[in-house]
Amino acid sequence: MKKTLIFFLTVSLTWAQNPNRKFTHLKSTTSGVEIGVTDGYYQIKVLSDQIVETSFIPSGETFNPISHATLLSAHNPTYTATESGNELYLNTPQIKVVVTKQPFQIRYLTPKNELILSERLGYIKKDSTEVLDFNLTADEKLYGGGARALGMNRRGNRLALYNRAHYGYETRAELMNFCLPVVLSSKQYLVHFDNPAIGHLDLDSQKNNTLQYETISGRKTYQVVVGGSWPELIQNYTQLTGRQPLPPRWALGNFASRFGYRSKEEVEKTIQKFETDKIPVDAIILDLYWFGKTIKGTMGNLDWDKETFPEPEKMMADLKAKGVKTVLITEPFILTTSLKWQETVDKKALATFKNGTPAVWDFYFGNTGIVDVFKPEGKEWFWAIYKRLINQGMGGIWGDLGEPEVFPSKVMTAAGKADEVHNIYGHRWAQLIAEGYQNDFPTQRPFILMRAGYSGSQRFGMIPWSGDVNRTWGGLQSQMEIALQMGMQGLGYMHSDLGGFAGDYFDNELYLRWLQYGVFNPIFRPHAQDDVASEVARKDIVTKAKAKKSVELRYQLLPYNYTLAYENSTTGLPLMRPLFFEEPQNESLQTVADTYLWGNDFLIKPIVNPGVTQTEVYFPKTANWFDFYTHKKYTGGKKARVKVTEAYIPTFVRANTVLPMTAVVQNTTLYQNNALNFIAYVDGNGVSERTFYFDDGTTPNANTAAQNHELLRANWMADDKKIVLTFSQNETTSVPNVSEKKGTITLYNVAIKPKKITQNGLAIPFQWEAKTKKLTFLYHHNQSKTSLTIVR
């Protein structure tokens, strides 16, 4: 107790807050406390054991309860509120909030009285902005702020919160399409500033151990989120802001995409090339030429150019019959020269000027207005466009330029001025599409590809991408950081235009390395300008053959990848994970982005420079690791130089874990849940358990409906005498039966030929190769439990 009192006193003196702010009163509320001070009052709410929300309401203002980001409201929170002398305490099982009356200060601590975060000056009113000001410790690394190319540790940067595209970026991009007001610390806490207005996030740019959130207006609300581990922290944050629904299974396949296909014939010939060369493909994406022959002057038509795309319904139906979905680009800008201009004016669907007239301005594509996605008339008009296209056969939606790309400050929307809603425009655009599907197409999982969004956009099924990256090695080098950072901030499907988008730089080595990285990316979507073909099927014979192997591996990994999608939808855990998730106390890993985990069991080291023949890899100490291609063993907790070939990037598998794979199919409509192969790398004695998810790939919310999905549990146990692999239904679900599974099991690093292998007690044949130490045998799982025993 004596140590605790000394700690409180030291912190109060060292981290003193605004000396002019005086405590005036304390009042209990249904989910926390209200604390009065001389220049306003605080509302502190307990949202869960791991999340506390603090709002400051300056004198003369009223509290705005509307959050665009969060879902979680306080419901039966577990906490105690006490007062003792100069201190007020609000305690949850995982966070202690300590308020010092004089000098006034708010601190957040662990149950062990370890400091998490504290306000420094707290709320500050400037001439044109408002600031929330916090203390940082000198040693913590900072992540967050959305999609940027800055390095994993973003401390030292002052980040603008204003979604804006950065065309042709490479290794540094301070401002991009997703500017999220989220900060994560290497101390394993997160702060979310719950206000969409534009501003800045200052991550100690003055090097005085200060974190500042600065905005032009709006809520002075922030949530402090903690977790006992990195996965738990992300799980708690996505409990607050929402989780990604399962995408359609085809979204994990290969896309044909470029800027762009100019005719029905070009679309059909492109897919025919994939079929002829037996290269898997699940979707084709049509850029803006589907509604006009020219780049400028036609945006906003949002209807087929019948001269170049006659009978679009038949075209999309024919593609669908082949298992290929059609994804169409749309933009929120309606040019005054477009076919829909007068219609949007008449239906009052557009944002306006202050006098109520439709707001117009010039940008690259022409003189334009913008759909007001915050207004019922705007949402209704926009959804009617999408509903018609879906009924025609459109399989997915691409929303482009949703930052919005040009959005003058003087424009007014139903939700406020442009600068107040700029950062949530793409967010609300995705929401209207998601809700439209729920209401009018409840049996379809939407595919919503978007270039801009906000905190919580993942809950609308948004699939983000990293913008118009340069087609250079520098462009590739920034992609791991961007995807890893966004996954930590809830948007687990961040991916890139594989091969790069901007410029006419032509390099097959770069293209192949980008695709090899893309295999272990949430979305596999090559895309580029016309200058260089992006589609695997349109490459030269040699490059095509090499790229095809990456596409095929992507499809072979579909059972594993689909399970990652399931984990993301139920826990918020990203598909791509930083190495420090494995070793949170290893400071050397806290800035690493060039190596990452794909799910729990793949370790990936992309090759991001030309001519590389060897590279250094750190292997997490939580396991030993095996090369996926050569089967060489690497000891965990050490670095090693590994050889690099042009055929693949360094890929490693965790020892003593079972991984599912499947045969290559032309598209996912041909994929079968029961055709399942397993691999594992044997490493002495060990125990592991993995659960794999299966459903029909299309039914919304299948993961929450007991009859519509299957969880297959694989238990691994190896000791000196035997290896036992058991497949069973996961008893924690109410799924009635496990469907049939059959295929091949391949075990690597089996040094001695087994004496026998049995399935449910009956001996089965097997093959063992002394030279390669590879063991293979067939299995057939068609009951609630199947036990395979390899007797050593």
Side-chain angles (χ1 to χ4, degrees):
M1 179 61 71
K2 184 176 181 181
K3 288 183 179 179
T4 300
L5 291 174
I6 293 172
F7 173 81
F8 284 165
L9 179 62
T10 302
V11 168
S12 296
L13 293 175
T14 305
W15 305 89
Q17 201 197 34
N18 189 333
N20 298 320
R21 184 165 294 134
K22 309 295 183 183
F23 170 83
T24 61
H25 70 267
L26 170 67
K27 183 170 71 173
S28 294
T29 65
T30 56
S31 55
V33 294
E34 177 185 302
I35 299 171
V37 290
T38 48
D39 57 342
Y41 67 97
Y42 284 88
Q43 284 186 0
I44 303 179
K45 296 171 62 176
V46 178
L47 301 185
S48 77
D49 290 354
Q50 299 88 9
I51 306 172
V52 172
E53 177 180 279
T54 301
S55 301
F56 182 73
I57 300 90
S59 299
E61 293 188 18
T62 57
F63 176 64
N64 175 8
I66 298 174
S67 170
H68 295 276
T70 65
L71 293 174
L72 193 65
S73 57
H75 53 285
N76 300 320
T78 303
Y79 71 95
T80 59
T82 58
E83 182 176 5
S84 178
N86 195 40
E87 309 277 9
L88 309 172
Y89 305 96
L90 187 68
N91 293 342
T92 84
Q94 298 299 325
I95 304 178
K96 295 178 67 173
V97 185
V98 180
V99 181
T100 304
K101 297 178 184 178
Q102 182 62 37
F104 187 86
Q105 187 185 39
I106 300 177
R107 305 190 305 281
Y108 304 87
L109 296 88
T110 71
K112 296 181 179 180
N113 293 324
E114 298 164 333
L115 182 66
I116 300 169
L117 181 71
S118 64
E119 289 195 357
R120 191 177 73 129
L121 299 179
Y123 171 77
I124 309 167
K125 174 65 176 174
K126 295 186 176 181
D127 290 339
S128 59
T129 61
E130 299 172 281
V131 176
L132 295 175
D133 181 271
F134 300 82
N135 294 299
L136 294 170
T137 57
D139 59 339
E140 58 189 306
K141 316 289 193 306
L142 299 180
Y143 316 100
R148 324 260 179 171
L150 301 168
M152 278 299 281
N153 180 15
R154 295 178 170 180
R155 186 166 182 165
N157 290 282
R158 177 173 164 81
L159 307 177
L161 296 174
Y162 188 88
N163 291 352
R164 175 176 288 171
H166 183 159
Y167 182 83
Y169 71 91
E170 294 189 354
T171 56
R172 187 166 183 87
E174 296 182 11
L175 187 60
M176 293 178 68
N177 310 73
F178 290 82
C179 297
L180 308 184
V182 182
V183 181
L184 299 95
S185 167
S186 57
K187 292 166 59 178
Q188 288 180 214
Y189 71 84
L190 177 154
V191 185
H192 174 249
F193 297 99
D194 195 355
N195 179 36
I198 66 172
H200 285 84
L201 198 56
D202 194 310
L203 307 182
D204 196 28
S205 68
Q206 300 303 307
K207 303 189 184 307
N208 59 353
N209 297 327
T210 302
L211 167 67
Q212 287 191 335
Y213 168 73
E214 184 172 5
T215 183
I216 60 168
S217 63
R219 285 157 51 98
K220 275 67 71 175
T221 296
Y222 63 93
Q223 294 94 18
V224 176
V225 185
V226 299
S229 65
W230 279 107
E232 184 181 334
L233 178 63
I234 306 307
Q235 183 170 343
N236 293 338
Y237 173 66
T238 54
Q239 180 190 22
L240 176 70
T241 58
R243 296 192 179 123
Q244 184 104 15
L246 267 173
R249 188 165 55 206
W250 62 262
L252 299 179
N254 178 33
F255 288 75
S257 182
R258 69 154 61 189
F259 180 41
Y261 303 110
R262 288 172 167 78
S263 68
K264 171 179 177 287
E265 290 74 22
E266 191 174 358
V267 168
E268 292 173 341
K269 287 179 180 178
T270 298
I271 295 303
Q272 183 60 53
K273 286 188 69 64
F274 278 92
E275 292 175 333
T276 300
D277 293 330
K278 293 182 171 52
I279 300 171
V281 64
D282 262 272
I284 186 164
I285 300 183
L286 275 61
D287 215 311
L288 50 78
Y289 295 113
W290 73 271
F291 55 69
K293 298 179 184 66
T294 59
I295 294 176
K296 297 184 179 182
T298 60
M299 187 173 290
N301 284 350
L302 296 176
D303 204 351
W304 295 93
D305 182 336
K306 293 298 182 65
E307 290 186 16
T308 50
F309 289 93
E311 300 183 294
E313 293 92 341
K314 184 178 184 305
M315 179 191 77
M316 291 189 286
D318 290 345
L319 291 171
K320 185 177 180 181
K322 295 181 176 184
V324 178
K325 310 299 184 295
T326 304
V327 180
L328 300 179
I329 194 172
T330 59
E331 300 90 358
F333 295 99
I334 311 299
L335 300 189
T336 55
T337 55
S338 74
L339 301 176
K340 294 289 192 295
W341 172 254
Q342 193 56 49
E343 179 181 316
T344 54
V345 173
D346 294 342
K347 290 186 177 292
K348 302 185 184 304
L350 301 171
T352 67
F353 288 130
K354 192 173 182 179
N355 63 8
T357 61
V360 292
W361 59 91
D362 292 328
F363 80 140
Y364 176 80
F365 297 95
N367 186 252
T368 193
I370 193 169
V371 179
D372 188 344
V373 297
F374 306 96
K375 183 163 60 173
E377 295 90 338
K379 292 190 289 185
E380 182 179 345
W381 180 86
F382 218 173
W383 175 245
I385 296 290
Y386 289 122
K387 186 175 180 179
R388 171 176 54 81
L389 293 170
I390 295 167
N391 281 324
Q392 288 180 346
M394 177 178 67
I397 295 168
W398 175 7
D400 200 14
L401 312 183
E403 295 78 29
E405 183 160 295
V406 181
F407 201 27
S409 299
K410 59 185 177 180
V411 176
M412 304 292 294
T413 75
K417 300 175 183 177
D419 288 348
E420 294 172 332
V421 301
H422 178 96
N423 290 335
I424 54 170
Y425 188 94
H427 181 73
R428 289 305 182 198
W429 184 11
Q431 180 181 8
L432 81 85
I433 296 172
E435 292 176 348
Y437 267 96
Q438 290 169 4
N439 293 329
D440 293 329
F441 304 97
T443 63
Q444 294 186 36
R445 294 186 199 173
F447 176 80
I448 307 171
L449 182 68
M450 286 270 176
R451 199 174 79 170
Y454 181 63
S455 309
S457 288
Q458 67 274 0
R459 67 178 181 265
F460 305 129
M462 181 184 287
I463 304 290
W465 91 95
S466 60
D468 296 336
V469 59
N470 220 20
R471 192 188 293 123
T472 59
W473 291 98
L476 172 58
Q477 288 162 15
S478 61
Q479 295 311 305
M480 285 61 72
E481 173 203 341
I482 293 170
L484 289 169
Q485 291 269 356
M486 287 290 280
M488 293 168 64
Q489 296 170 72
L491 285 120
Y493 286 85
M494 173 56 78
H495 66 286
S496 62
D497 291 343
L498 300 183
F501 177 80
D504 59 1
Y505 182 72
F506 182 78
D507 186 335
N508 280 330
E509 183 186 4
L510 170 65
Y511 177 79
L512 291 169
R513 290 304 192 198
W514 214 315
L515 263 62
Q516 290 164 1
Y517 158 65
V519 172
F520 304 97
N521 221 217
I523 301 293
F524 190 93
R525 187 182 57 83
H527 182 65
Q529 291 178 328
D530 272 342
D531 307 285
V532 179
S534 58
E535 306 95 333
V536 174
R538 291 195 176 276
K539 290 296 181 180
D540 63 85
I541 294 175
V542 174
T543 305
K544 183 194 305 183
K546 295 175 181 177
K548 182 181 179 182
K549 292 184 182 300
S550 291
V551 178
E552 289 176 337
L553 179 57
R554 177 72 175 186
Y555 279 77
Q556 288 177 293
L557 291 173
L558 189 58
Y560 180 84
N561 294 349
Y562 199 55
T563 296
L564 299 187
Y566 164 74
E567 290 178 356
N568 175 260
S569 70
T570 53
T571 68
L573 199 61
L575 290 75
M576 291 175 61
R577 303 165 192 177
L579 292 189
F580 57 74
F581 274 35
E582 288 284 292
E583 296 184 38
Q585 304 308 318
N586 187 339
E587 292 188 14
S588 67
L589 299 182
Q590 292 174 355
T591 58
V592 172
D594 63 357
T595 312
Y596 64 93
L597 292 162
W598 176 242
N600 194 59
D601 297 322
F602 277 98
L603 179 67
I604 308 299
K605 177 66 180 283
I607 300 302
V608 297
N609 288 291
V612 175
T613 58
Q614 61 176 338
T615 188
E616 187 175 76
V617 178
Y618 174 76
F619 296 91
K621 66 181 182 181
T622 47
N624 292 328
W625 301 83
F626 284 82
D627 189 301
F628 182 64
Y629 299 98
T630 69
H631 316 308
K632 180 179 178 180
K633 178 181 172 180
Y634 292 90
T635 303
K638 296 182 179 180
K639 292 180 180 180
R641 302 292 296 181
V642 302
K643 291 181 179 180
V644 175
T645 75
E646 67 169 14
Y648 49 82
I649 58 176
T651 303
F652 307 92
V653 176
R654 189 186 299 269
N656 289 328
T657 58
V658 180
L659 301 179
M661 299 182 71
T662 192
V664 177
V665 290
Q666 185 61 30
N667 55 66
T668 56
T669 63
L670 302 173
Y671 167 79
Q672 297 179 8
N673 284 328
N674 65 347
L676 209 59
N677 301 320
F678 289 94
I679 67 168
Y681 290 82
V682 181
D683 185 35
N685 299 340
V687 177
S688 68
E689 180 180 306
R690 295 292 183 268
T691 300
F692 307 114
Y693 175 85
F694 305 92
D695 64 21
D696 63 8
T698 60
T699 301
N701 303 314
N703 57 324
T704 62
Q707 305 300 318
N708 291 334
H709 73 275
E710 173 192 350
L711 290 170
L712 180 69
R713 187 172 59 192
N715 284 86
W716 173 277
M717 190 284 294
D719 59 24
D720 294 338
K721 296 181 178 180
K722 62 184 179 300
I723 299 170
V724 180
L725 175 57
T726 305
F727 297 117
S728 61
Q729 174 188 338
N730 191 323
E731 289 94 359
T732 62
T733 74
S734 54
V735 181
N737 294 299
V738 172
S739 66
E740 180 183 57
K741 298 282 185 292
K742 58 183 178 179
T744 301
I745 295 177
T746 303
L747 304 184
Y748 296 98
N749 199 41
V750 180
I752 301 174
K753 183 179 179 178
K755 296 176 182 177
K756 66 176 178 177
I757 299 179
T758 63
Q759 176 171 300
N760 295 331
L762 299 177
I764 59 174
F766 63 89
Q767 290 183 327
W768 176 75
E769 300 174 12
K771 183 177 181 180
T772 61
K773 301 180 183 179
K774 182 171 75 170
L775 174 67
T776 59
F777 53 93
L778 300 178
Y779 79 98
H780 188 185
H781 171 64
N782 61 354
Q783 52 191 17
S784 60
K785 186 173 182 179
T786 299
S787 181
L788 294 145
T789 302
I790 299 98
V791 180
R792 291 174 156 175

